[in-house]
Amino acid sequence: MTNFLIDKLKNTNSGNFFLMAGPCAIEGEDVAFRIAEKIVTITDKLQIPYIFKGSYRKANRSKGGSFTGIGDEKALKILEKIGKTFDVPTVTDIHESGEAAMAAAYVDVLQIPAFLCRQTDLLIAAAKTGKVVNVKKGQFLSAGSMKFAVEKIVESGNNRVVLTDRGNTFGYQDLIVDYRGLPEMQSFGVPVVMDCTHSLQQPNQSSGVTGGKPELIETIAKAAIAVGADGLFIETHPDPANAKSDGANMLHLDLLEELLVKLVKIRKAVI
């Protein structure tokens, strides 16, 4: 990891990967705090630097009536409270240029969704906040194409860039992960994260609700650590079946610790 990211994390000097994890969306304070407390306990024990993840609003939904959020300010204040309570950095998505400064007032990392990774105005607005900017690779792009996203942010005066792979479009209703992309994106001089849950989505279902293959989260995560990913992104929830967003591909919270224990062992074996 580069120095700027270490500064944003609890630096345990463990040589571990870092973890971005939390619910897909902020559904309310109680469940968000429950998730954060559990993950902080696990990552502290395993010496894994941790960033709490939660979307304050979901702008990209298949159906118009799908859950989008509990209100921007309310959700952002929950993210801010979690960061202060547990002394961890926080990350959330932004969708339009005008949201960058608003979200930056509450969180440490601004995330650019995969479908928006080519939006120049959005990247520049995020860069100008001075926050770390995590750009998700579009599932329609090659890993090599992401160098232009990095250039846009760096040329705007911000070298605090992270890239996250979340799979590549494979047909109409599936994604596939090409692990060659991780070292290719690392060659741009930025930390690279593997999104272990969104890469298992099955989009464009006839029901209008995205499907997924959460049983393969461990497979994706193990391979990413073996390849040398700097970090992992995992959406997790105590009751995925009833989560208000992306429940079909989230990891059950009770399974997280066992998975991370295995991944730490792999990390130690490959470094």
Side-chain angles (χ1 to χ4, degrees):
M1 293 186 294
T2 57
N3 289 336
F4 77 82
L5 191 52
I6 291 175
D7 290 341
K8 287 291 181 182
L9 299 170
K10 295 187 298 180
N11 184 4
T12 61
N13 296 312
S14 65
N16 253 338
F17 55 90
F18 63 90
L19 177 68
M20 294 183 181
C24 178
I26 298 298
E27 302 173 2
E29 184 170 317
D30 289 346
V31 68
F33 266 73
R34 177 181 171 188
I35 294 168
E37 183 175 24
K38 180 72 174 283
I39 301 177
V40 167
T41 299
I42 295 169
T43 53
D44 280 354
K45 180 164 60 175
L46 297 177
Q47 295 189 309
I48 298 172
Y50 173 53
I51 305 171
F52 178 85
K53 184 270 168 183
S55 297
Y56 72 89
R57 174 161 32 96
K58 298 302 296 182
N60 177 23
R61 306 306 306 274
S62 296
K63 297 172 70 174
S66 296
F67 173 82
T68 57
I70 59 174
D72 292 357
E73 186 177 14
K74 184 177 181 180
L76 285 167
K77 285 184 175 180
I78 290 172
L79 284 163
E80 181 181 47
K81 188 174 180 180
I82 285 173
K84 291 179 178 178
T85 301
F86 297 104
D87 191 27
V88 295
T90 54
V91 56
T92 198
D93 316 71
I94 58 172
H95 317 92
E96 298 180 5
S97 305
E99 298 176 18
M102 175 185 70
Y106 296 92
V107 301
D108 303 285
V109 182
L110 298 179
Q111 182 166 286
I112 308 300
F115 282 122
L116 302 176
C117 68
R118 285 169 51 97
Q119 296 297 102
T120 301
D121 289 348
L122 180 60
L123 292 169
I124 291 174
K128 288 185 175 179
T129 67
K131 299 289 185 175
V132 175
V133 183
N134 177 36
V135 187
K136 287 200 168 184
K137 184 188 79 64
Q139 49 271 68
F140 46 86
L141 289 178
S142 68
S145 297
M146 291 303 292
K147 67 182 177 181
F148 302 113
V150 174
E151 287 175 0
K152 289 175 184 178
I153 295 168
V154 172
E155 289 171 0
S156 298
N158 186 343
N159 65 353
R160 302 179 172 191
V161 188
V162 180
L163 294 179
T164 295
D165 196 340
R166 48 98 75 237
N168 303 290
T169 301
F170 187 72
Y172 289 107
Q173 294 176 322
D174 208 357
L175 300 169
I176 190 168
V177 177
D178 181 353
Y179 287 95
R180 297 175 300 176
L182 273 63
E184 184 172 2
M185 291 192 291
Q186 284 171 328
S187 72
F188 307 149
V190 300
V192 173
V193 175
M194 184 72 235
D195 183 338
C196 303
T197 45
H198 288 96
S199 60
L200 291 167
Q201 282 185 333
Q202 293 180 303
N204 306 318
Q205 300 295 311
S206 59
S207 65
V209 178
T210 297
K213 296 181 178 180
E215 67 274 12
L216 293 176
I217 291 172
E218 181 171 324
T219 300
I220 296 292
K222 284 179 174 178
I225 294 302
V227 169
D230 298 289
L232 297 178
F233 180 106
I234 299 175
E235 288 188 341
T236 182
H237 195 281
D239 186 11
N242 290 303
K244 295 185 177 180
S245 178
D246 278 2
N249 54 271
M250 279 201 279
L251 180 71
H252 196 293
L253 187 60
D254 290 345
L255 301 177
L256 181 63
E257 182 170 5
E258 181 181 0
L259 172 60
L260 291 176
V261 168
K262 294 176 182 178
L263 298 176
V264 168
K265 291 179 180 177
I266 294 173
R267 176 71 170 188
K268 289 179 179 177
V270 299
I271 60 174

